[in-house]
Amino acid sequence: MSEPLTFMMGTHAAVLPRNLRYCKNHMWCRAGENGVHTFGFSGYAVRLMQDVYFLEWRIEPGLVTLKQEIGYIETQKATSGLYAPVAGRITRFNAELLEDPSAINAHGYDRGWLFDLEGSDDGMLNAEEYHEFLTVAWAQAQRLIKGQLNTADDTPADS
């Protein structure tokens, strides 16, 4: 197997295995048999979230539409909704994560998987395409952050 790609987030590395597909909502997809694929958070997403400490599914396994809210996650940084990366049928969730979601942090591409979904992987990105997508997204995020910092710095002290 070829070496994974590494996306640098400042001084922090996000590893992107080449044998996976990626979604623009920062989930990875491991192709399975009979069109059932396993999904989890990419190394980029895990690095952004930092410590995941709570996960809850809002639905039971079954049909989902693209971008349908399926759960939520609490991390060191924020509480966020989780959305289906593709349309299909969720066949199972990783029940172990409900008891201890730390596997997402420590074993994101292995025991930290989120769910299995039967559906098409059309429109997903390979590792190189995802790396390129991250390069653009990271540059935009950095400009936004710097713009907010500059705006904050420009605020008069007596306002």
Side-chain angles (χ1 to χ4, degrees), residues 106-126:
H107 308 285
Y109 292 116
D110 186 30
R111 290 189 358 241
W113 64 275
L114 298 171
F115 54 87
D116 287 340
L117 184 144
E118 181 181 357
S120 171
D121 66 354
D122 290 347
M124 290 186 206
L125 308 172
N126 64 33

Side-chain angles (χ1 to χ4, degrees), residues 13 25 35 37 49 53 56-57 61 75 90 107 114 119-120 139:
N25 72 342
H37 310 296
M49 293 185 291
Y53 57 84
E56 179 175 288
W57 301 114
T75 71
I90 292 180
H107 308 285
L114 298 171
S120 171

Side-chain angles (χ1 to χ4, degrees), residues 5-27:
L5 287 175
T6 301
F7 181 79
M8 294 306 296
M9 302 168 69
T11 59
H12 303 285
V15 176
L16 309 173
R18 292 180 193 262
N19 64 324
L20 301 175
R21 306 275 291 167
Y22 296 88
C23 305
K24 289 184 177 181
N25 72 342
H26 306 297
M27 287 188 182

Side-chain angles (χ1 to χ4, degrees), residues 3-150:
E3 289 293 314
L5 287 175
T6 301
F7 181 79
M8 294 306 296
M9 302 168 69
T11 59
H12 303 285
V15 176
L16 309 173
R18 292 180 193 262
N19 64 324
L20 301 175
R21 306 275 291 167
Y22 296 88
C23 305
K24 289 184 177 181
N25 72 342
H26 306 297
M27 287 188 182
W28 56 260
C29 172
R30 180 176 293 118
E33 295 187 23
N34 302 320
V36 177
H37 310 296
T38 301
F39 288 81
F41 289 119
S42 72
Y44 177 86
V46 171
R47 182 67 199 136
L48 281 181
M49 293 185 291
Q50 295 187 3
D51 290 330
V52 175
Y53 57 84
F54 185 77
L55 172 69
E56 179 175 288
W57 301 114
R58 298 259 170 114
I59 64 167
E60 295 295 320
L63 291 176
V64 294
T65 58
L66 174 66
K67 299 181 182 178
Q68 176 182 339
E69 186 172 12
I70 59 174
Y72 77 96
I73 191 162
E74 291 183 25
T75 71
Q76 179 180 346
K77 295 283 188 179
T79 299
S80 302
L82 295 177
Y83 301 91
V86 296
R89 178 184 302 276
I90 292 180
T91 59
R92 71 178 174 146
F93 290 106
N94 184 347
E96 292 179 20
L97 295 181
L98 295 176
E99 296 298 318
D100 181 12
S102 67
I104 293 170
N105 306 317
H107 308 285
Y109 292 116
D110 186 30
R111 290 189 358 241
W113 64 275
L114 298 171
F115 54 87
D116 287 340
L117 184 144
E118 181 181 357
S120 171
D121 66 354
D122 290 347
M124 290 186 206
L125 308 172
N126 64 33
E128 290 79 10
E129 293 166 332
Y130 183 59
H131 189 280
E132 186 177 314
F133 172 75
L134 292 178
T135 300
V136 172
W138 185 252
Q140 290 172 342
Q142 295 304 299
R143 280 194 301 275
L144 177 66
I145 291 167
K146 287 178 183 174
Q148 289 174 344
L149 290 176
N150 290 339

